[in-house]
Amino acid sequence: MARRHLIIGGGTAGMNAMRTIREEEREASDLTLVSAEKPYSRMVLPYYLDRSIAESHVFTASAALLAQWKVKTHLGRRAAALDVKANVCTLDDGTKIEYDDCLVATGSAPVRAPVPGADGPNVHSFWTLDECRAVIASVTPGSRVVMIGAGFISFTILNSILALGAKLTIVELAPRILPRMVDEAGAHVIEDWLKAHGVTIRTNVKVTKIEDARGKKRVKFASGADVVCDSVIMATGIKTNLDWLKGAGVQIKQGIVVDDHLRSSVPNVYAAGDVAEGRDLVSGQPALHAIEPTAQEHGRVVGANMAGKDVAYKGSLIINIVEVCHLDAASFGAWDDAKAETVVGVKRDRSAYRKYLFTGDRLTGAIIIGRSGDVWTTNDVGMLKGLVQTGVPLGRFKDHLKSHPFDVKTAYIAAGTAGTLLPETVLGRPSKAPGETPVAV
Amino acid sequence: MQVGAFQPAKSVIRVSPFEGHTSYAPYTCTQCAEGWCMTACPVGAITINVAGAKDVLDDRCVGCKLCTIACPYGTVFYDPSTRKAFKCNLCGGDPACAHACPTAAIEYEDVPTVDWLHDFARERASHVLAVNGGRR
């Protein structure tokens, strides 16, 4: 039984792992956290950006909580090397930490488009708290902001930028927006909505250079007019923080390859969250899911296993939601599966769009777009998740869903989805409320 | 969960019509063991109240909507006017729905959760399928 647990990374996966270790264990083990930043939630940074919450609200662990959990912390430090034979982790300041088992949950970092000027003044990424602070300092009412990249990260901060009173232009290399979250028809619904709400969108454009222009920024393109603005936000993708681990003997493909207990090729080294290439629930295949819910579930499963439980993980489901100017867009599972049987529902007057993807008589993917206040949007979004998550056979209700894509509830209830879900838990027991974590002595 | 307004979009009990509105069934949060909404919340804004119900703490909720897509039952909602998530919290142990129901069709009892609606819906929806099948 492992006595000394080392958690590398204080994000969602690491925090959930630590909490679950303390929930599951009978005797208190040694718990050490190495984290480059003080633990906070990246999910809520957009709400700090638009000042609807205070900065203190973003933190997921205070010093007092970590002390209560009896966690030895190395904050502001990064892991630099892992010796999996000696079971020693070396930090960037030379500190060596011995462990019996460890969790690698080092997350991702933003990548900027490789163009001249990408690292110039007033060109920002939006990923960390520090970067959020820099954007807050630079986006002022009436200022002009160019966002490069029309992906998920851009869209999570779009409302905040507008709420700050800035004028926004989004530019995207691909022919359409949100290429990794919704299909082309869905993207057009969202694009039309945004244009109607005063957002300028230019797709199919390649940024070639970002210049300084008398206190402003000039963004140049391979074709088309330049855009002059006050600040540029680059949201051009992320990459896993795994360079430090290369050559350590832990198998890495897209991410760290993990089994159904989230163990890597080195049995006492676990991986979770963005860096873990684990099972995708729908396809059953290994996949990298850089999303919050996967980090959370991974973290809890690792925590339970580190505490000596035997918890197998069924796999993670891709779920994404973003709201822009009171239009919700969400997608689930294999929403881009070209082999699936598909049906589309559109209510053009309500900017509503549905796409369902079936494999046999099971729903394996879904896209839902609709106004935030519309009853059927809020009704159906969770039910679609339930249908994809359970994969319940829809039987003759599949045809009903195909002919009535806006009547999800009938199919959901009649297929017995809720009954299938009721016994399901991630850890094989009821979840505890936050703050209910006991500390064994 | 009472908001002090008459507005179906704010109800945490969604009523399903069956057989062309000849019968109805209410549907609300099962207070499931996993608490998908609670575990998904990135800021610990969903907790378990004295009634054992999962409950949104308004001063913690930032309105990110993650709970609304994490809940596989479709029983966590978002209110654009408050910018918060909301759901059935069993009114802290004294549900107003049980008091309000004029035919006493809702009783508040401490019993294991079952999917009682499934068979009812399957049977009642058969009619809808037959009609729609004929129409297409």
Side-chain angles (χ1 to χ4, degrees), chain A residues 309-344:
Chain A
K309 291 272 146 81
D310 176 11
V311 176
Y313 182 54
K314 286 175 73 173
S316 43
L317 178 65
I318 283 280
I319 61 174
N320 276 304
I321 185 163
V322 69
E323 183 214 315
V324 286
C325 305
H326 303 296
L327 186 76
D328 281 349
S331 57
F332 302 97
W335 59 266
D336 60 348
D337 181 1
K339 294 194 297 286
E341 181 184 345
T342 62
V343 66
V344 165

Side-chain angles (χ1 to χ4, degrees), chain B residues 52-78:
Chain B
K54 313 299 184 288
D55 202 353
V56 180
L57 303 171
D58 280 351
D59 59 347
R60 287 298 302 165
C61 177
V62 301
C64 76
K65 298 190 171 181
L66 191 53
C67 53
T68 69
I69 57 162
C71 170
Y73 300 90
T75 51
V76 184
F77 310 104
Y78 172 80

